[in-house]
Amino acid sequence: MAAVADKSGEAALVAAAANDKKNSLVVETPKSESKEFNVQNLVDMFTKLNPLAKEFFPSSYQQNQTKNEGKFNQVPVGNKSVGNENFSNRRRRNNSNQGRRRLNGKAFRAQRDDSIRQTVYVSDIDQNVTEEQLAGLFSNCGQVVDCRVCGDPHSVLRFAFVEFADEEGARAALNLNGIMLGFYPVRVLPSKTAILPVNPTFLPRSEDEREMCTRTVYCTNIDKKVSQAEVKNFFESACGEVTRLRLLGDNVHSTRIAFVEFAMAESAIVALNCSGMVLGTQPIRVSPSKTPVRPRVARPTLV
């Protein structure tokens, strides 16, 4: 009986060992030694690991984390949520403003391109031809929005820019190339630039001011070292009596401008011939003025 019990016990041990082998994992080491690890023990080991331990993160993540921490540390500790909210709102506002500026820039460029297509460049204009006469000539082509006659410092003749209300008027104006105006045939070409608009508050407001414009010239590229008295003497000796003169300049531009009003309209026409003449160290440019020289308003004195 004892022998039978021993055999049955050995059989039970063999069966238990077989079951353990089924539930075990064999890992070979480099030295070809085999060790048995229980699967349940491996599970217990993995559950005890800390997934937030630094050995589980690459070094690049640590660098980025320190940079982000540096950025967030700039926000006051007590108002982190408020600071972040203000920061995000500020970014949204800046982005919207930039978008608005981009749209405004595109709209401005589109408007400028339209103005260029509606403008023609006219050259070889007789010095006795006025802006009214030139605008009247081109009014047969379409509605004239603006007409700007300028003095050419390299010629006794002048040039002008004429802007129409639409492109059809500008295309029709090209057919007037070579037409006689005064004593010279004018050249009419598509313009490469738009006319710079004049501040409407400076334009003449009455018939008297329009008459003043016929006696006034606009002079540019004046040497900064030239005084107002020297400008007046220059035009009076060459053209006629000057009744009013306004010399303007700033710290941005290297030269100055002037509005010169004469006693006679004929003197203003003669002054257009002064384009290209040297005043001080600079050749000046003279054009008809679109604005009158208004008398200065006296400021009330403080008592």
Side-chain angles (χ1 to χ4, degrees):
M1 293 294 291
V4 174
D6 292 337
K7 289 182 179 179
S8 61
E10 290 178 0
L13 292 173
V14 171
N19 289 333
D20 288 340
K21 287 184 178 180
K22 289 180 181 178
N23 295 326
S24 61
L25 178 66
V26 177
V27 179
E28 292 186 0
T29 61
K31 296 181 180 179
S32 301
E33 296 176 356
S34 62
K35 295 182 180 180
E36 293 183 0
F37 295 96
N38 191 286
V39 174
Q40 188 60 40
N41 292 337
L42 289 175
V43 173
D44 294 339
M45 290 171 59
F46 284 126
T47 54
K48 293 178 181 179
L49 294 175
N50 180 14
L52 297 179
K54 67 178 184 178
E55 56 261 39
F56 282 88
F57 295 92
S59 58
S60 60
Y61 179 87
Q62 293 293 334
Q63 293 175 0
N64 294 334
Q65 187 69 14
T66 55
K67 290 180 181 178
N68 292 334
E69 288 176 359
K71 291 179 181 177
F72 287 120
N73 287 338
Q74 296 175 2
V75 182
V77 177
N79 296 322
K80 279 189 178 179
S81 60
V82 177
N84 290 337
E85 183 182 356
N86 292 338
F87 178 71
S88 60
N89 290 338
R90 189 159 59 247
R91 284 184 60 188
R92 279 196 294 271
R93 283 198 298 271
N94 290 341
N95 290 337
S96 63
N97 290 338
Q98 289 176 0
R100 206 158 34 239
R101 282 196 295 268
R102 281 195 294 269
L103 289 176
N104 291 341
K106 290 180 180 178
F108 171 77
R109 285 193 294 272
Q111 184 178 5
R112 182 190 60 189
D113 293 341
D114 290 341
S115 298
I116 292 175
R117 287 192 292 268
Q118 296 168 7
T119 305
V120 293
Y121 170 76
V122 187
S123 62
D124 297 347
I125 302 173
D126 190 334
Q127 58 187 0
N128 294 315
V129 174
T130 64
E131 285 187 345
E132 289 76 12
Q133 291 173 332
L134 187 65
L137 172 67
F138 286 99
S139 62
N140 298 322
C141 305
Q143 180 184 355
V144 175
V145 176
D146 198 356
C147 178
R148 196 76 55 87
V149 177
C150 308
D152 189 347
H154 304 293
S155 172
V156 295
L157 303 177
R158 293 178 294 159
F159 61 92
F161 297 91
V162 182
E163 182 180 353
F164 294 87
D166 49 41
E167 295 182 35
E168 287 75 12
R171 283 195 291 267
L174 298 177
N175 297 325
L176 297 182
N177 183 43
I179 191 172
M180 292 293 296
L181 183 62
F183 295 100
Y184 299 93
V186 295
R187 296 177 59 203
V188 184
L189 301 171
S191 178
K192 296 181 180 179
T193 59
I195 298 178
L196 185 66
V198 178
N199 190 330
T201 59
F202 298 151
L203 295 176
R205 303 170 185 169
S206 62
E207 282 298 327
D208 290 340
E209 288 191 344
R210 276 188 279 273
E211 189 274 333
M212 291 166 61
C213 287
T214 63
R215 297 184 283 108
T216 305
V217 295
Y218 171 63
C219 183
T220 63
N221 204 44
I222 301 175
D223 189 345
K224 274 195 170 183
K225 296 181 180 179
V226 175
S227 65
Q228 182 164 322
E230 290 174 326
V231 175
K232 183 178 181 180
N233 292 334
F234 172 83
F235 281 105
E236 282 191 333
S237 61
C239 310
E241 180 185 356
V242 174
T243 55
R244 194 176 287 122
L245 187 147
R246 190 69 47 79
L247 184 62
L248 305 172
D250 54 32
N251 296 325
V252 177
H253 300 86
S254 59
T255 58
R256 293 193 287 180
I257 63 172
F259 293 88
V260 185
E261 179 187 306
F262 294 92
M264 303 292 293
E266 291 76 11
S267 298
I269 296 175
V270 174
L272 299 176
N273 296 328
C274 295
S275 277
M277 296 180 66
V278 176
L279 177 58
T281 60
Q282 301 286 340
I284 60 174
R285 292 189 291 272
V286 185
S287 305
S289 177
K290 299 182 76 70
T291 61
V293 182
R294 296 189 178 104
R296 294 185 184 274
V297 178
R299 296 181 180 178
T301 57
L302 299 176
V303 180

